Amino acid sequence: NCTTNWHNSIHKTPFVSVVFPFLSHEKNRKLTSKMGVIETPYFDIFATAGDVGVLELPLDSDKRAIIFAVAHFGFFMLNFINVSYLVLVEGIALRNLGKNFLHKMCLAGCALQICSCFTSMWRENINDEYNAFWSGGGTFFSNFGFALCSSAVSVVWFHASKNRIKWWTITAIGWLLFHNVNSVISYMQWDEKHFGPFRPMVVIAALYQSIVMIYCFVQVKKGAIVVNPEAASKDQFERICLTMIAANVVAIGLTLLNMPMFKYPQTGWIYCTCVVFCKFAGQMDFAKTTSFGGVLAAFKTEGTAGEKTELLV
């Protein structure tokens, strides 16, 4: 069962300490002898790998573990950059993070995905791809991260609603439940399906966020959402939406290649596009009223309504 797998495989010896020395300094000596049995080249950016490891990267092979570890490191770095940008630029330099509730949710989501990437790198570092303990943790962190980002963009649906905060809160709770139930299902079915139940959640998050951006683009085109030229011109904001949508579509498409280096780093684009979109959406007047305090107040008083909403700075 899963519990037995946790205890049996959690302490396996890491073997790519040269690639990730911060993960296991004490194992560097054991690496040298083991590296000698790995065929060259050690790293192939175009290598393919199926779920059962029957393509160019057989399951449990050292080369597969190294390539998957580097691919997840790319995913890790994109979210590390997201977190650094949100804290250092939006938070400290521009002092905007405290005013942008959607960016706060993005910050939490990206930080959770960093934790998920760490568990993935560790699984590959010990060459135990389906380690139940680390995989379960990674699935939970990633599901939670995607839930927060999908919740953040959802505020756009209710830009003209009287009770937009109430409806947004219900939507956010729905996303959190949806993703966390998936984490539970993934854990319960781990021995039979591994990442099978979780993988569709990534595509669902990317498609959903893209649909929200399309909706926002249409509303801006119609004039239902008016963009303040001090933040961005109407044309600029429309191009931002289209660019983020295209990036998400490309990221989803690249996963079909079954190439780890064109799958995991590009999945990080989903978080990047959310951060960029929420920089503007989070400054809209209807989004500026969305906060933890506003959510609590919304269940006591009615919100305000308006035919048009404006992007404020």
Side-chain angles (χ1 to χ4, degrees):
N1 55 38
C2 292
T3 305
T4 302
N5 289 340
W6 289 7
H7 294 290
N8 288 345
S9 55
I10 189 174
H11 296 299
K12 291 182 67 175
T13 302
F15 71 92
V16 287
S17 302
V18 167
V19 181
F20 303 109
F22 58 91
L23 291 181
S24 56
H25 296 288
E26 75 280 4
K27 302 299 181 181
N28 283 336
R29 291 185 180 179
K30 294 184 179 181
L31 172 67
T32 306
S33 60
K34 193 163 187 178
M35 285 290 286
V37 302
I38 303 177
E39 295 181 2
T40 57
Y42 302 132
F43 183 80
D44 181 0
I45 191 172
F46 298 110
T48 57
D51 285 340
V52 294
V54 296
L55 302 178
E56 294 177 43
L57 299 173
L59 190 63
D60 293 330
S61 67
D62 289 348
K63 185 177 292 187
R64 178 185 175 95
I66 290 175
I67 291 177
F68 270 69
V70 175
H72 280 103
F73 184 72
F75 195 178
F76 167 89
M77 281 305 302
L78 282 175
N79 282 287
F80 180 80
I81 292 170
N82 283 336
V83 169
S84 299
Y85 165 76
L86 289 170
V87 173
L88 299 178
V89 178
E90 294 293 335
I92 297 175
L94 300 179
R95 305 289 177 89
N96 286 335
L97 185 60
K99 303 178 238 179
N100 191 331
F101 180 68
L102 305 190
H103 256 178
K104 292 177 184 176
M105 297 190 73
C106 289
L107 175 60
C110 292
L112 285 165
Q113 185 57 55
I114 284 178
C115 296
S116 177
C117 290
F118 179 85
T119 66
S120 297
M121 289 187 293
W122 187 255
R123 287 187 292 108
E124 305 303 339
N125 197 37
I126 61 177
N127 199 3
D128 192 3
E129 187 169 331
Y130 297 127
N131 180 293
F133 176 81
W134 294 107
S135 297
T139 300
F140 169 78
F141 286 130
S142 190
N143 259 324
F144 214 136
F146 280 121
L148 288 174
C149 288
S150 293
S151 298
V153 301
S154 295
V155 70
V156 176
W157 293 122
F158 315 112
H159 66 90
S161 172
K162 288 183 179 181
N163 301 308
R164 57 178 173 266
I165 297 179
K166 287 184 179 180
W167 287 116
W168 173 81
T169 303
I170 293 171
T171 303
I173 292 172
W175 277 114
L176 290 169
L177 288 174
F178 180 59
H179 279 275
N180 281 284
V181 167
N182 178 265
S183 294
V184 174
I185 293 173
S186 297
Y187 168 76
M188 294 176 64
Q189 299 180 352
W190 181 254
D191 290 336
E192 297 79 25
K193 298 184 178 180
H194 293 150
F195 289 107
F198 167 70
R199 286 195 177 111
M201 305 300 285
V202 179
V203 178
I204 289 172
L207 289 176
Y208 174 77
Q209 292 176 32
S210 298
I211 291 170
V212 173
M213 293 174 191
I214 292 171
Y215 173 76
C216 187
F217 172 82
V218 171
Q219 293 302 304
V220 171
K221 274 282 189 185
K222 290 169 57 177
I225 296 177
V226 180
V227 181
N228 189 324
E230 293 185 25
S233 70
K234 180 175 180 288
D235 289 341
Q236 286 175 331
F237 184 71
E238 289 174 0
R239 289 196 296 271
I240 288 170
C241 289
L242 292 177
T243 303
M244 299 304 101
I245 294 164
N248 282 347
V249 172
V250 171
I252 295 172
L254 287 173
T255 63
L256 301 177
L257 297 176
N258 273 332
M259 296 178 180
M261 286 302 300
F262 291 93
K263 180 178 182 180
Y264 297 103
Q266 283 69 21
T267 304
W269 291 0
I270 302 170
Y271 284 92
C272 294
T273 57
C274 185
V275 169
V276 173
F277 179 76
C278 286
K279 174 177 174 62
F280 297 93
Q283 297 180 71
M284 295 177 184
D285 57 347
F286 59 86
K288 287 168 73 73
T289 62
T290 306
S291 64
F292 291 117
V295 168
L296 295 175
F299 285 90
K300 297 179 180 178
T301 59
E302 294 293 313
T304 58
E307 295 183 356
K308 292 187 177 183
T309 54
E310 186 173 0
L311 186 66
L312 304 176
V313 292

